[in-house]
Amino acid sequence: MGSQARAAQVNEVIRRLEAHYVFPDVAAKLADALRHRLDDGAYADVDDAEFATLVTADLQSVNGDPHLRLRHHTDPVADDGDAAVNSDGFRIEAELESYGIAEVRRLAGNVGYLDTTMLYPAELAGPAIAAAMTLLAPADALLLDVRRNRGGSPGTSALLQTYLVDEQVHYLDIYEREGDKTTQMWTLPYVPGPRFGGTKPIWVLTGPRTFSGGEDLAFSLQQQGRAKTVGEATRGGAHPREQYKVDTYLDVTISIARSLHPETGENWEGTGVRPDLPVAAGKAFDTAYGLALRHVLELGDDGPRRAVADEARRALDQVKDVGPGVDGTV
């Protein structure tokens, strides 16, 4: 890569930052940092993959924003924003990942379990989410696993949360630099299929790999008092981002907005979502499942519930290291 071509790539990253980054003052600092690194020859004599790694580290060194990344791709990148999301490649990726629904099942004791890896746009993932929630609706309790969830669409977070409440909830605000506007995020007035509802208990399993849209789910349900979070603090990326083409095989992801709690103005940027019940991420399932089973047993064992209660007792005997007590104390 010639020096002029590399400089052109750096300048394109800078142009995108100055035009779109949610904090203009930070964008200016980022631009200065990249120019200094370019002048010092930091990006010379490296291939595109290493160049992307170096620039990403330099971008994140200023304010630690994990959404700021220069990415190198094996295949040519799509054009900006929606063009990438609407590409055939993205649709195939979503399909091959089961639209972010890694696992949905009824655990012994009538406890529902949903493992999500990505919040793909609702126009793609909606039918899969509706199918999953139809299976989970009769459960007595729910474990929502976002330990591997790497992010995704705010609209899909709204869709999924709607299945977990009875009435519309204003759970988040998103401030966008472009247009200086704030969008209120509400759960939806309607979703297809039955809801799990707003009264049965939910435990959200979290860990250090939980990021962005997965953190949105954990934070929003926690702040509503709708769920308890179990596990470890999440990665700490609260700024919705967009992707912009830099060159044939390079694109840059830039935070274009801020997520804010509608009452406190707080978010999880930099700190992550702190668990209500802190345990190692690898023990989060056993801890939450043990609590869910104890809840099921509190529902009694009369009539049709006898078989469920027997199932819950056997399952509870097998759960190890259940951790906190049923009242949530540690």
Side-chain angles (χ1 to χ4, degrees):
M1 174 64 68
S3 59
Q4 288 185 337
R6 189 65 85 205
Q9 292 172 338
V10 173
N11 287 330
E12 180 63 9
V13 172
I14 290 172
R15 183 179 77 84
R16 300 294 198 172
L17 287 166
E18 292 177 336
H20 302 291
Y21 191 55
V22 64
F23 303 112
D25 57 333
V26 177
K29 295 178 182 178
L30 292 165
D32 286 343
L34 293 184
R35 289 190 185 103
H36 286 311
R37 292 281 285 163
L38 178 65
D39 291 342
D40 289 342
Y43 308 135
D45 302 322
V46 296
D47 61 20
D48 276 356
E50 179 64 16
F51 170 61
T53 299
L54 292 171
V55 171
T56 295
D58 292 336
L59 290 171
Q60 295 183 4
S61 70
V62 174
N63 68 336
D65 186 341
H67 277 112
L68 283 171
R69 292 171 290 170
L70 183 65
R71 305 185 302 182
H72 174 257
H73 302 265
T74 304
D75 299 317
V77 301
D79 292 330
D80 301 346
D82 290 343
V85 172
N86 293 329
S87 68
D88 289 340
F90 186 80
R91 292 191 192 93
I92 293 171
E93 173 192 313
E95 182 178 348
L96 292 175
E97 200 177 344
S98 297
Y99 304 102
I101 305 297
E103 186 175 359
V104 54
R105 61 188 171 116
R106 177 194 180 277
L107 301 172
N110 200 34
V111 175
Y113 176 74
L114 178 62
D115 184 11
T116 67
T117 56
M118 179 75 172
L119 301 181
Y120 283 99
E123 56 267 30
L124 297 177
I129 291 173
M133 296 312 299
T134 296
L135 293 174
L136 294 170
D140 291 319
L142 176 64
L143 310 185
L144 176 56
D145 196 340
V146 296
R147 287 177 294 177
R148 297 186 294 154
N149 192 305
R150 61 188 187 275
S153 167
T156 306
S157 176
L159 172 65
L160 187 50
Q161 289 186 60
T162 303
Y163 283 97
L164 307 178
V165 297
D166 295 323
E167 299 177 349
Q168 283 192 270
V169 177
H170 176 200
Y171 65 89
L172 202 68
D173 286 336
I174 297 180
Y175 169 78
E176 298 175 66
R177 171 185 168 182
E178 185 174 351
D180 188 28
K181 65 179 181 180
T182 298
T183 300
Q184 294 184 350
M185 298 301 297
W186 288 73
T187 56
L188 308 177
Y190 165 81
V191 285
R195 301 189 190 205
F196 179 78
T199 59
K200 294 181 288 187
I202 301 170
W203 288 270
V204 182
L205 282 53
T206 64
R209 295 169 61 189
T210 310
F211 186 53
S212 194
E215 294 177 288
D216 175 346
L217 275 175
F219 178 84
S220 298
L221 292 169
Q222 179 192 59
Q223 293 298 309
Q224 294 172 46
R226 182 64 193 93
K228 293 288 187 181
T229 52
V230 184
E232 298 181 46
T234 60
R235 187 174 165 192
H239 297 156
R241 59 88 170 168
E242 191 57 272
Q243 57 205 53
Y244 300 97
K245 185 175 181 178
V246 172
D247 208 335
T248 305
Y249 299 99
L250 293 168
D251 67 7
V252 62
T253 62
I254 293 175
S255 303
I256 61 169
R258 288 186 290 155
S259 299
L260 303 166
H261 187 277
E263 294 181 4
T264 66
E266 296 178 351
N267 62 26
W268 59 94
E269 180 69 21
T271 62
V273 180
R274 299 295 180 180
D276 297 306
L277 306 176
V279 296
K283 293 185 177 181
F285 175 86
D286 279 352
T287 299
Y289 189 28
L291 293 169
L293 290 168
R294 290 172 181 174
H295 166 77
V296 170
L297 291 174
E298 289 179 347
L299 298 177
D301 57 3
D302 294 334
R305 295 210 61 88
R306 185 174 299 111
V308 171
D310 288 344
E311 201 176 47
R313 291 188 189 95
R314 290 192 296 270
L316 189 57
D317 286 340
Q318 297 175 7
V319 174
K320 305 299 182 182
D321 300 321
V322 296
V326 72
D327 62 351
T329 58
V330 292

